[in-house]
Coordinates of all heavy atoms in Angstrom, one line a residue:
T1 N -24.8 14.9 -9.9 CA -24.2 15.1 -11.2 C -22.6 14.9 -11.1 O -21.9 15.2 -12.1 CB -24.4 16.5 -11.7 OG1 -24.0 17.5 -10.7 CG2 -25.9 16.7 -12.1
V2 N -22.2 14.3 -10.1 CA -20.7 14.0 -9.9 C -20.5 12.5 -10.0 O -21.5 11.7 -10.2 CB -20.2 14.5 -8.6 CG1 -18.7 14.3 -8.4 CG2 -20.5 16.1 -8.5
G3 N -19.3 12.0 -9.9 CA -19.0 10.6 -10.0 C -17.5 10.6 -9.9 O -16.8 11.6 -9.9
L4 N -16.9 9.4 -9.8 CA -15.5 9.3 -9.7 C -14.7 10.0 -10.8 O -13.7 10.7 -10.5 CB -15.1 7.8 -9.6 CG -13.6 7.5 -9.3 CD1 -13.2 8.1 -7.9 CD2 -13.2 6.1 -9.4
A5 N -15.1 9.8 -12.0 CA -14.4 10.4 -13.2 C -14.4 11.9 -13.1 O -13.4 12.5 -13.1 CB -15.1 9.9 -14.5
K6 N -15.6 12.5 -12.9 CA -15.7 13.9 -12.9 C -15.0 14.5 -11.6 O -14.3 15.6 -11.7 CB -17.2 14.3 -12.9 CG -17.4 15.8 -13.3 CD -18.9 15.9 -13.6 CE -19.3 17.3 -14.1 NZ -20.7 17.4 -14.5
L7 N -15.2 13.9 -10.5 CA -14.6 14.5 -9.3 C -13.1 14.4 -9.3 O -12.4 15.4 -8.9 CB -15.1 13.7 -8.0 CG -14.7 14.3 -6.7 CD1 -15.3 15.7 -6.5 CD2 -15.3 13.4 -5.6
T8 N -12.5 13.3 -9.8 CA -11.0 13.2 -9.8 C -10.5 14.1 -10.9 O -9.3 14.6 -10.8 CB -10.6 11.8 -10.0 OG1 -11.2 11.2 -11.2 CG2 -10.9 10.9 -8.8
M9 N -11.2 14.4 -12.0 CA -10.8 15.4 -13.0 C -10.7 16.7 -12.3 O -9.7 17.5 -12.6 CB -11.8 15.4 -14.1 CG -11.7 14.3 -15.1 SD -13.1 14.1 -16.2 CE -13.2 15.8 -17.0
G10 N -11.7 17.1 -11.5 CA -11.6 18.4 -10.8 C -10.4 18.5 -9.9 O -9.8 19.6 -9.8
L11 N -10.2 17.5 -9.2 CA -9.0 17.5 -8.2 C -7.7 17.6 -9.0 O -6.8 18.2 -8.6 CB -9.0 16.2 -7.4 CG -10.1 16.1 -6.3 CD1 -10.2 14.7 -5.7 CD2 -9.9 17.2 -5.2
F12 N -7.6 16.9 -10.2 CA -6.5 17.0 -11.0 C -6.2 18.4 -11.5 O -5.1 18.9 -11.6 CB -6.6 16.0 -12.2 CG -5.5 16.0 -13.2 CD1 -4.3 15.5 -12.9 CD2 -5.7 16.6 -14.4 CE1 -3.2 15.5 -13.8 CE2 -4.7 16.6 -15.4 CZ -3.4 16.1 -15.1
W13 N -7.3 19.1 -11.9 CA -7.2 20.5 -12.4 C -6.5 21.3 -11.3 O -5.6 22.1 -11.6 CB -8.5 21.1 -12.7 CG -9.3 20.5 -13.8 CD1 -8.8 19.7 -14.8 CD2 -10.7 20.6 -14.0 NE1 -9.8 19.3 -15.7 CE2 -11.0 19.8 -15.2 CE3 -11.8 21.2 -13.3 CZ2 -12.3 19.7 -15.7 CZ3 -13.0 21.1 -13.8 CH2 -13.3 20.3 -15.0
V14 N -6.9 21.2 -10.0 CA -6.4 22.1 -9.0 C -5.1 21.7 -8.4 O -4.4 22.6 -7.9 CB -7.5 22.4 -7.9 CG1 -8.8 22.9 -8.6 CG2 -7.8 21.1 -7.1
R15 N -4.8 20.4 -8.4 CA -3.5 19.9 -7.9 C -3.1 18.8 -8.8 O -3.1 17.6 -8.4 CB -3.7 19.5 -6.5 CG -3.7 20.7 -5.5 CD -2.3 21.4 -5.5 NE -2.3 22.5 -4.5 CZ -2.5 23.8 -4.8 NH1 -2.9 24.1 -6.0 NH2 -2.4 24.7 -3.8
P16 N -2.6 19.1 -10.0 CA -2.3 18.0 -11.0 C -1.1 17.2 -10.6 O -0.9 16.1 -11.1 CB -2.0 18.8 -12.3 CG -1.6 20.2 -11.8 CD -2.5 20.4 -10.6
R17 N -0.2 17.7 -9.7 CA 0.9 16.9 -9.2 C 0.5 15.9 -8.2 O 1.4 15.0 -7.8 CB 2.0 17.8 -8.7 CG 2.4 18.9 -9.6 CD 3.4 19.8 -9.0 NE 3.4 21.2 -9.5 CZ 4.2 21.7 -10.4 NH1 5.1 20.9 -10.9 NH2 4.1 22.9 -10.8
A18 N -0.7 16.0 -7.6 CA -1.1 15.2 -6.5 C -2.2 14.2 -6.7 O -2.3 13.2 -6.0 CB -1.4 16.1 -5.3
F19 N -3.1 14.5 -7.7 CA -4.3 13.7 -7.9 C -4.3 13.1 -9.3 O -4.1 13.9 -10.3 CB -5.6 14.6 -7.6 CG -5.7 15.0 -6.2 CD1 -5.2 16.2 -5.7 CD2 -6.3 14.1 -5.3 CE1 -5.4 16.6 -4.4 CE2 -6.5 14.5 -3.9 CZ -6.0 15.7 -3.5
L20 N -4.7 11.9 -9.4 CA -4.8 11.2 -10.6 C -6.2 11.3 -11.2 O -7.2 11.0 -10.5 CB -4.5 9.7 -10.5 CG -4.7 8.8 -11.6 CD1 -3.6 9.0 -12.7 CD2 -4.7 7.3 -11.2
P21 N -6.4 11.8 -12.4 CA -7.7 11.8 -13.0 C -8.2 10.4 -13.4 O -7.3 9.6 -13.9 CB -7.6 12.7 -14.2 CG -6.2 12.5 -14.6 CD -5.4 12.3 -13.4
V22 N -9.4 10.0 -13.1 CA -9.9 8.7 -13.5 C -11.0 8.8 -14.5 O -12.1 8.2 -14.3 CB -10.3 7.8 -12.3 CG1 -10.4 6.3 -12.6 CG2 -9.2 7.9 -11.2
D23 N -10.8 9.6 -15.5 CA -11.8 9.7 -16.6 C -11.8 8.5 -17.4 O -10.9 7.6 -17.3 CB -11.5 11.0 -17.4 CG -10.1 11.0 -18.0 OD1 -9.2 11.2 -17.2 OD2 -10.0 10.7 -19.2
S24 N -12.7 8.4 -18.4 CA -12.8 7.1 -19.2 C -11.6 6.8 -20.0 O -11.2 5.6 -20.1 CB -14.0 7.2 -20.1 OG -13.9 8.3 -21.0
R25 N -10.9 7.8 -20.5 CA -9.7 7.5 -21.3 C -8.5 7.1 -20.4 O -7.8 6.1 -20.8 CB -9.3 8.8 -22.1 CG -10.2 9.2 -23.2 CD -10.2 8.3 -24.4 NE -8.9 8.5 -25.1 CZ -8.5 7.6 -26.0 NH1 -9.3 6.7 -26.4 NH2 -7.3 7.8 -26.6
T26 N -8.4 7.7 -19.3 CA -7.3 7.3 -18.3 C -7.6 5.9 -17.8 O -6.7 5.0 -17.6 CB -7.2 8.3 -17.2 OG1 -7.0 9.6 -17.7 CG2 -6.0 7.9 -16.3
R27 N -8.9 5.6 -17.5 CA -9.3 4.3 -17.0 C -8.9 3.2 -18.1 O -8.3 2.2 -17.7 CB -10.8 4.3 -16.8 CG -11.3 2.9 -16.4 CD -12.9 2.9 -16.3 NE -13.3 3.7 -15.3 CZ -13.6 3.3 -14.0 NH1 -13.5 2.0 -13.7 NH2 -14.1 4.1 -13.1
E28 N -9.2 3.5 -19.3 CA -8.9 2.5 -20.4 C -7.4 2.3 -20.5 O -6.9 1.2 -20.6 CB -9.4 3.0 -21.7 CG -9.2 2.1 -22.9 CD -9.7 2.6 -24.2 OE1 -10.3 3.7 -24.2 OE2 -9.5 1.9 -25.2
Y29 N -6.6 3.4 -20.4 CA -5.2 3.4 -20.4 C -4.6 2.5 -19.3 O -3.7 1.7 -19.5 CB -4.6 4.8 -20.4 CG -3.1 4.9 -20.4 CD1 -2.4 4.7 -21.6 CD2 -2.4 5.1 -19.3 CE1 -1.0 4.7 -21.7 CE2 -1.0 5.2 -19.3 CZ -0.3 5.0 -20.5 OH 1.1 5.1 -20.5
L30 N -5.1 2.8 -18.1 CA -4.6 2.0 -16.9 C -4.9 0.5 -17.1 O -4.1 -0.3 -16.8 CB -5.3 2.5 -15.7 CG -5.0 4.0 -15.3 CD1 -5.7 4.4 -14.0 CD2 -3.5 4.2 -15.1
E31 N -6.1 0.2 -17.5 CA -6.5 -1.2 -17.7 C -5.6 -1.9 -18.8 O -5.3 -3.1 -18.7 CB -8.0 -1.3 -18.0 CG -8.8 -0.9 -16.8 CD -10.3 -1.0 -17.0 OE1 -10.7 -1.0 -18.2 OE2 -11.1 -0.9 -16.1
N32 N -5.3 -1.1 -19.8 CA -4.4 -1.6 -20.9 C -3.0 -1.9 -20.3 O -2.3 -2.7 -20.9 CB -4.3 -0.7 -22.1 CG -5.6 -0.6 -22.9 OD1 -6.4 -1.6 -22.8 ND2 -5.8 0.4 -23.7
N33 N -2.7 -1.2 -19.2 CA -1.4 -1.4 -18.6 C -1.5 -2.4 -17.4 O -0.7 -2.4 -16.5 CB -0.8 -0.1 -18.1 CG -0.1 0.6 -19.3 OD1 1.0 0.4 -19.6 ND2 -0.9 1.5 -19.9
R34 N -2.6 -3.1 -17.4 CA -2.9 -4.2 -16.3 C -3.0 -3.6 -14.9 O -2.6 -4.2 -13.9 CB -1.7 -5.2 -16.4 CG -1.7 -5.9 -17.7 CD -0.6 -7.0 -17.7 NE -0.5 -7.7 -19.0 CZ 0.3 -8.7 -19.3 NH1 1.2 -9.1 -18.4 NH2 0.3 -9.2 -20.5
I35 N -3.6 -2.4 -14.9 CA -3.9 -1.8 -13.6 C -5.4 -1.8 -13.4 O -6.1 -1.0 -14.1 CB -3.3 -0.4 -13.4 CG1 -1.8 -0.4 -13.6 CG2 -3.7 0.2 -12.1 CD1 -1.1 0.9 -13.6
E36 N -5.9 -2.6 -12.6 CA -7.4 -2.7 -12.5 C -8.0 -1.5 -11.8 O -7.5 -1.1 -10.7 CB -7.8 -4.0 -11.7 CG -9.3 -4.2 -11.6 CD -9.6 -5.5 -10.9 OE1 -8.6 -6.2 -10.5 OE2 -10.8 -5.8 -10.6
V37 N -9.0 -0.9 -12.4 CA -9.7 0.2 -11.8 C -10.9 -0.3 -11.0 O -11.7 -1.1 -11.6 CB -10.1 1.2 -12.9 CG1 -10.9 2.4 -12.2 CG2 -8.9 1.7 -13.6
P38 N -11.0 0.0 -9.7 CA -12.1 -0.6 -9.0 C -13.5 -0.2 -9.5 O -13.7 0.9 -10.0 CB -11.9 0.0 -7.6 CG -11.1 1.3 -7.8 CD -10.2 1.0 -9.0
S39 N -14.4 -1.1 -9.4 CA -15.8 -0.9 -9.9 C -16.6 0.0 -8.9 O -17.5 0.7 -9.2 CB -16.5 -2.2 -10.1 OG -16.5 -3.0 -9.0
T40 N -16.2 -0.1 -7.6 CA -16.8 0.7 -6.6 C -16.0 2.0 -6.4 O -14.8 2.1 -6.8 CB -16.8 0.0 -5.2 OG1 -15.5 -0.4 -4.9 CG2 -17.6 -1.3 -5.3
A41 N -16.6 3.0 -5.8 CA -15.9 4.3 -5.7 C -16.0 4.8 -4.3 O -17.1 4.9 -3.7 CB -16.6 5.3 -6.7
S42 N -14.9 5.0 -3.7 CA -14.7 5.6 -2.4 C -13.4 6.2 -2.3 O -12.5 5.9 -3.1 CB -15.0 4.6 -1.3 OG -13.9 3.7 -1.2
W43 N -13.1 7.0 -1.2 CA -11.8 7.6 -1.1 C -10.8 6.5 -0.9 O -9.7 6.5 -1.4 CB -11.8 8.5 0.1 CG -10.5 9.1 0.5 CD1 -9.7 8.8 1.7 CD2 -9.6 9.9 -0.3 NE1 -8.5 9.5 1.6 CE2 -8.4 10.2 0.4 CE3 -9.8 10.5 -1.6 CZ2 -7.4 11.0 -0.1 CZ3 -8.7 11.3 -2.1 CH2 -7.6 11.5 -1.3
T44 N -11.1 5.4 -0.1 CA -10.2 4.3 0.1 C -9.8 3.6 -1.2 O -8.7 3.3 -1.5 CB -10.8 3.3 1.1 OG1 -11.1 3.9 2.3 CG2 -9.8 2.1 1.3
D45 N -10.8 3.4 -2.1 CA -10.6 2.8 -3.4 C -9.7 3.6 -4.2 O -8.8 3.2 -4.9 CB -11.9 2.5 -4.1 CG -12.8 1.6 -3.4 OD1 -12.3 0.7 -2.7 OD2 -14.1 1.7 -3.5
Y46 N -10.0 4.9 -4.2 CA -9.2 5.9 -5.0 C -7.7 5.9 -4.6 O -6.8 5.9 -5.4 CB -9.8 7.2 -5.0 CG -9.0 8.3 -5.8 CD1 -8.9 8.3 -7.1 CD2 -8.4 9.3 -5.1 CE1 -8.1 9.2 -7.8 CE2 -7.7 10.3 -5.7 CZ -7.5 10.2 -7.1 OH -6.8 11.2 -7.8

């Protein structure tokens, strides 16, 4: 029941100064700013 969006949201909650949330709205915002979000998910990708 986890995934990149949910897991990074949780990390953002506990350490918001250190971890970027990659939920759907942030993903869209990043892509609008020409920052490609990887289709694969791993710690290296993140």
Side-chain angles (χ1 to χ4, degrees):
T1 52
V2 183
L4 184 63
K6 198 168 186 177
L7 189 60
T8 55
M9 283 166 55
L11 290 169
F12 176 74
W13 295 339
V14 302
R15 283 295 183 264
R17 306 176 209 263
F19 293 95
L20 173 75
V22 194
D23 55 287
S24 60
R25 292 286 292 170
T26 305
R27 176 188 291 268
E28 181 182 359
Y29 178 77
L30 296 179
E31 291 176 345
N32 287 340
N33 281 274
R34 299 182 180 180
I35 299 175
E36 184 180 355
V37 179
S39 56
T40 58
S42 70
W43 174 245
T44 301
D45 296 329
Y46 176 67

